[in-house]
Amino acid sequence: MDEGRGGAVHIGGLTPEQKAGEALVKLFTFVAARTIMDALTSEKGIDENFITDMMRSPDHDMQLAAVRLLEVRTSFAQDTFQWDVLRAAAISNVQADAERVMAQYMSSIVPLDTDACGE
């Protein structure tokens, strides 16, 4: 990260980019789990211990599934996830939210008086 930009902002000791990176690992784990185990129907149980717990399972099939999850997650992050789309979406969402907040603020301090407009 360019230390000249955003270096002062920290969330729980992490930069916003590092925090997003942690969240993306969870997202990619979920995507990998959904890809491999179609029966998985919710995020419940998908946390930082999800794959570790599978690796510790006495069931050899669970261990193999965990290894496959690691492979699919890595492949998804490297080859499939569209990082440029994420960046564009994040910027667009931030701009849209800023516009919404400013519009609400402006309408609260300058109420539109339709009678004053000659209607």
Side-chain angles (χ1 to χ4, degrees), residues 49-64:
N49 299 317
F50 179 71
I51 295 175
T52 302
D53 292 344
M54 288 178 69
M55 292 289 263
R56 291 182 179 152
S57 171
D59 183 350
H60 186 64
D61 288 337
M62 288 296 281
Q63 295 169 356
L64 291 175

Side-chain angles (χ1 to χ4, degrees), residues 31-116:
V31 169
R34 289 299 304 245
T35 300
I36 294 167
M37 299 181 294
D38 194 45
L40 186 62
T41 59
S42 73
E43 282 187 60
K44 187 175 181 186
I46 302 290
D47 62 12
E48 58 275 358
N49 299 317
F50 179 71
I51 295 175
T52 302
D53 292 344
M54 288 178 69
M55 292 289 263
R56 291 182 179 152
S57 171
D59 183 350
H60 186 64
D61 288 337
M62 288 296 281
Q63 295 169 356
L64 291 175
V67 170
R68 185 68 182 130
L69 278 169
L70 292 172
E71 294 169 349
V72 171
R73 181 177 72 177
T74 299
S75 175
F76 182 78
Q78 290 176 344
D79 304 326
T80 306
F81 193 78
Q82 296 179 13
W83 294 100
D84 54 332
V85 174
L86 169 65
R87 182 179 190 281
I91 291 169
S92 176
N93 290 345
V94 166
Q95 289 173 337
D97 189 60
E99 291 171 6
R100 179 189 59 78
V101 169
M102 287 303 295
Q104 287 177 343
Y105 173 72
M106 292 304 293
S107 68
S108 73
I109 62 170
V110 184
L112 183 60
D113 184 4
T114 56
D115 292 334

